[in-house]
Amino acid sequence: MIKGQRFLALDAMRGICAVFVCLFHFHANSAVQGWGLIRGSWQFVDFFFVLSGFVISYNYEDKLQSGMPARQFMALRLGRIYPLHIAVLAAFVVMELLVLIGPLKANREAFDAAHSVSGLVSNILLLRGSSSFGAETWNNPSWSIATEAWAYVIFASLVILRVNNFKVLIALVIGCAALLLYVTAKGTAVTGDFGLLRCIYGFALGVICAKLWRHLPDFKLSAVLWTVIEFLAIFAVIFFLSTSGETRRTVLGPLLFAVTVLVFARDGGYINRGLSTRLPVYLGALSYSIYMVHVFVQERMANVLNILAKKTKYDFMDGSNPLRPPLIGETVLQGTVLTVVMLLSVIAVSMLTYKFIELPGQAWTRRALAKYYPPKKPAATPELAAEQPQA
């Protein structure tokens, strides 16, 4: 295992999965709307949980065991997720005020059930996903950020108490999976009361993957054979997401994602190397912004289409099927074009939020923490100094 190693292919996969989650939430009359993979892309949130557990354990487990205070760890993690969460939430609040007193006043009642004050408090306190209190409100995808914050607390506690062994982690995985199977027929298709169970299940699997990674032998396989293994892993994910629906079978999804993480953590095949190039890796860097801003951008796009429809008397919706809600785009061509416009808009906004919110937020957190937890000086030796640990 190489200290400081970055798993570029996994970073890129995170970005690609964020795009698929974005497509899942955009109900358009497009060429991809009916794809089983798109309709099952909500499960990529479980991939995020598994990957997060893997990366957090890989980067922080040794540091926590070596004396990093839990408060420092939590501050670093909250500095990573909280600034953008609050910024997007503030943008939603501004739009709600426009519904109350501004140009969107006639569209619907302000601060309705989906934008309640109690839900706002739940979002600010990161309580979504662990109770029904504000479970489906404001920026819907942020429920997973709330549950992940609590997963950090559990992870740090287990590491500091020296009980983060395979037995405890496997018990967490089995316990959460069993509870999900018991309390719901939807498997992992839960966000409200049982979202925390879903998160801990995937996160613990990721921590197990990190432990396995430290002990797995370096398999001397050819690049061609690794490429075949990578292709089979991707095919298995696509097939599973396309066919599992919202059933109890989805509990198997995090296990499949765990195997995929281990496969692509190894820089073995040509698919991995293609994912490790500049553009996919940059998309991975934008993944958190894409995930957090896409619903806001999609709702603003719907506002624009509604305004255009009123001014032009042209309906941009397809309501031909009474058995489903209207889709964006009166024709498949129009819906496909609008889908492309939506994706480009989400990526453009994500580039801005990544540069002006995410990165400054992380930098500010590190500067603030440096006052209380100054970086340790590297231990000098007669020949060379030891490598400075990353923050």
Side-chain angles (χ1 to χ4, degrees):
M1 181 178 69
I2 303 171
K3 283 288 183 184
Q5 176 178 348
R6 280 195 65 193
F7 302 98
L8 297 179
L10 291 175
D11 281 349
M13 291 177 74
R14 194 201 311 263
I16 294 169
C17 292
V19 169
F20 274 98
V21 173
C22 179
L23 289 171
F24 167 77
H25 284 131
F26 193 64
H27 304 294
N29 182 23
S30 70
V32 301
Q33 173 67 25
W35 289 6
L37 175 60
I38 300 296
R39 301 325 319 147
S41 288
W42 58 270
Q43 293 184 73
F44 280 129
V45 176
D46 297 297
F47 174 76
F48 299 150
F49 290 148
V50 174
L51 183 55
S52 183
F54 177 81
V55 172
I56 296 300
S57 177
Y58 181 86
N59 285 321
Y60 287 103
E61 186 165 333
D62 290 343
K63 294 176 184 178
L64 286 165
Q65 288 178 340
S66 300
M68 172 185 270
R71 287 175 295 180
Q72 183 184 10
F73 167 74
M74 285 304 302
L76 285 169
R77 297 316 306 157
L78 290 177
R80 173 71 181 91
I81 65 174
Y82 204 66
L84 183 59
H85 168 61
I86 288 298
V88 177
L89 190 58
F92 272 99
V93 172
V94 170
M95 293 306 303
E96 206 59 23
L97 292 174
L98 292 178
V99 174
L100 180 65
I101 61 174
L104 301 178
K105 187 174 181 180
N107 285 10
R108 61 173 172 80
E109 183 182 352
F111 294 97
D112 58 8
H115 305 87
S116 65
V117 175
S118 62
L120 182 61
V121 173
S122 176
N123 275 268
I124 293 172
L125 298 180
L126 298 176
L127 295 176
R128 291 183 59 197
S130 55
S131 72
S132 58
F133 181 53
E136 299 290 342
T137 60
W138 298 92
N139 188 20
N140 279 339
S142 67
W143 72 268
S144 64
I145 305 306
T147 57
E148 195 162 310
W150 293 104
Y152 298 152
V153 175
I154 296 170
F155 167 76
S157 301
L158 293 179
V159 174
I160 291 172
L161 293 173
R162 304 283 177 169
V163 292
N164 59 315
N165 52 57
F166 278 111
K167 289 182 180 179
V168 171
L169 292 168
I170 291 172
L172 273 177
V173 167
I174 294 175
C176 289
L179 282 171
L180 284 172
L181 290 172
Y182 177 74
V183 299
T184 176
K186 290 184 168 184
T188 57
V190 292
T191 60
D193 290 344
F194 310 115
L196 184 60
L197 285 177
R198 178 182 175 186
C199 176
I200 295 172
Y201 174 34
F203 194 96
L205 274 173
V207 176
I208 291 173
C209 286
K211 289 181 173 294
L212 289 174
W213 174 255
R214 289 181 169 91
H215 298 96
L216 284 176
D218 186 9
F219 298 107
K220 301 296 182 181
L221 304 178
S222 68
V224 172
L225 186 53
W226 269 116
T227 303
V228 172
I229 294 172
E230 291 166 1
F231 173 80
L232 290 175
I234 292 174
F235 177 81
V237 168
I238 292 173
F239 179 79
F240 182 81
L241 266 62
S242 300
T243 59
S244 56
E246 293 186 1
T247 65
R248 286 190 170 94
R249 282 186 297 160
T250 55
V251 171
L252 298 175
L255 296 169
L256 180 58
F257 290 136
V259 173
T260 304
V261 164
L262 287 174
V263 168
F264 281 89
R266 180 76 61 181
D267 185 13
Y270 295 116
I271 299 176
N272 190 303
R273 296 174 194 178
L275 289 170
S276 300
T277 54
R278 185 175 180 179
L279 187 58
V281 170
Y282 181 62
L283 186 66
L286 298 179
S287 61
Y288 181 51
S289 277
I290 292 172
Y291 183 73
M292 291 299 287
V293 309
H294 73 270
V295 168
F296 181 82
V297 173
Q298 289 173 359
E299 289 187 5
R300 304 295 71 78
M301 189 171 175
N303 293 149
V304 171
L305 291 176
N306 284 334
I307 292 171
L308 288 175
K310 290 178 182 178
K311 291 185 176 297
T312 63
K313 307 301 180 183
Y314 182 84
D315 191 0
F316 290 90
M317 306 296 290
D318 171 27
S320 59
N321 188 344
L323 299 178
R324 57 158 170 75
L327 299 176
I328 296 175
E330 193 173 38
T331 65
V332 171
L333 176 60
Q334 187 183 96
T336 302
V337 171
L338 290 172
T339 298
V340 173
V341 171
M342 180 275 297
L343 283 177
L344 293 176
S345 300
V346 167
I347 291 173
V349 173
S350 297
M351 292 170 69
L352 294 174
T353 55
Y354 176 69
K355 182 176 181 179
F356 295 109
I357 298 177
E358 282 195 66
L359 293 180
Q362 294 174 57
W364 182 89
T365 302
R366 290 193 175 94
R367 287 195 303 270
L369 287 174
K371 299 177 183 178
Y372 304 97
Y373 307 102
K376 296 178 181 179
K377 294 181 179 180
T381 67
E383 297 182 1
L384 75 163
E387 182 183 355
Q388 178 89 12
Q390 291 182 333

